Amino acid sequence: MPLVAAAVCPHPPLIVPELAGAAAPELDDLRAAADAAVARLLAADPEVILLLGAGGESRIFGAADSGSLRGYGLDRPVRLWKIACSGAEVLPLSLTIGAWLVNRSGTELPRLARAVAADASPAECAALGAELAAAAGERIALLVLGDGSACRGVKAPGYDDPRAPAYDEGVAAALADADAAALLGLDPSLSAELKAAGRAPWQVLAGAARAAGGDWRGDVSYHRAPYGVAYFVANWEKA
């Protein structure tokens, strides 16, 4: 069984202290939780880390590719793994922040990255997860990047939506229980209306865990909604 562990982290640009500036301490607890989740992922002794996040289309990225936070005010590339002239700044925001988190850990393990289309259907997400779980050979640790609803209050990016708290509580419960069925049951239309960027990646995780088989246990270490956006940090491990 090549899938040995998974972690879930959000991908707000402000998790990068240089972007947050004087407000950086406001997300210190989120950074600490994400760092701990990545460390726990590495403790599962994987041979490769696979980053998975939403993007404009489903695609595979090369080990030399990188992302950029230039649009947010930081003129510095964030590399996925290798440095080579064949690479390009093509990672979507989700994978750029994921690469930043993994690089922060100091690990020298190989990194791969895949984007899943933000509008992929639950069936497509489950199929992609099954494909990842069936990958031959190497022990894979999956780092899943995704935010919850962005409609938690009148100052939220998506303004206030009374459906958002219940949606986010459902996601938190599914992550805590390693409930693949609950994640696969998330409604794409409602998720889009609530601007929940993590829906498709979470469903890929669910498909991967279900295809890998066995019992999984979940642990949510962070569940809050600073700035009106729900963020989750969680780990899934074999029971």
Side-chain angles (χ1 to χ4, degrees):
M1 192 278 294
L3 181 63
V4 296
V8 171
C9 289
H11 52 74
L14 290 181
I15 199 172
V16 180
E18 295 94 324
L19 291 178
E26 296 176 9
L27 292 183
D28 278 350
D29 52 351
L30 174 58
R31 287 185 204 94
D35 287 343
V38 172
R40 194 164 162 180
L41 194 67
L42 296 173
D45 196 28
E47 295 172 296
V48 63
I49 302 171
L50 174 59
L51 281 64
L52 176 78
E57 61 179 352
S58 296
R59 62 173 291 187
I60 300 172
F61 295 94
D65 287 334
S66 62
S68 173
L69 295 171
R70 193 173 296 111
Y72 299 93
L74 184 62
D75 190 10
R76 187 176 70 213
V78 180
R79 65 183 180 87
L80 175 59
W81 181 34
K82 293 183 177 180
I83 298 175
C85 59
S86 60
E89 290 185 0
V90 290
L91 299 180
L93 175 63
S94 60
L95 297 177
T96 298
I97 296 299
W100 180 82
L101 286 171
V102 175
N103 291 341
R104 230 167 111 85
S105 74
T107 181
E108 296 183 359
L109 285 176
R111 267 91 86 187
L112 304 173
R114 293 193 66 156
V116 56
D119 60 355
S121 70
E124 291 170 331
C125 293
L128 175 56
E131 175 189 331
L132 299 179
E138 297 173 308
R139 292 166 54 85
I140 296 173
L142 189 61
L143 177 58
V144 181
L145 290 308
D147 298 347
S149 77
C151 301
R152 300 289 294 272
V154 296
K155 294 184 178 181
Y159 197 64
D160 185 59
D161 192 312
R163 301 172 296 176
Y167 177 93
D168 293 326
E169 288 296 334
V171 172
L175 292 174
D177 295 337
D179 189 340
L183 290 179
L184 288 170
L186 292 173
D187 179 63
S189 296
L190 175 60
S191 301
E193 290 170 8
L194 296 178
K195 303 186 183 302
R199 190 274 305 174
W202 298 331
Q203 290 183 328
V204 175
L205 165 63
R210 187 174 65 179
D215 294 325
W216 291 81
R217 60 174 180 268
D219 178 30
V220 173
S221 56
Y222 186 99
H223 171 206
R224 298 175 196 171
Y227 314 129
V229 182
Y231 299 143
F232 311 94
V233 177
N235 287 86
W236 281 21
E237 299 164 338
K238 294 291 290 183

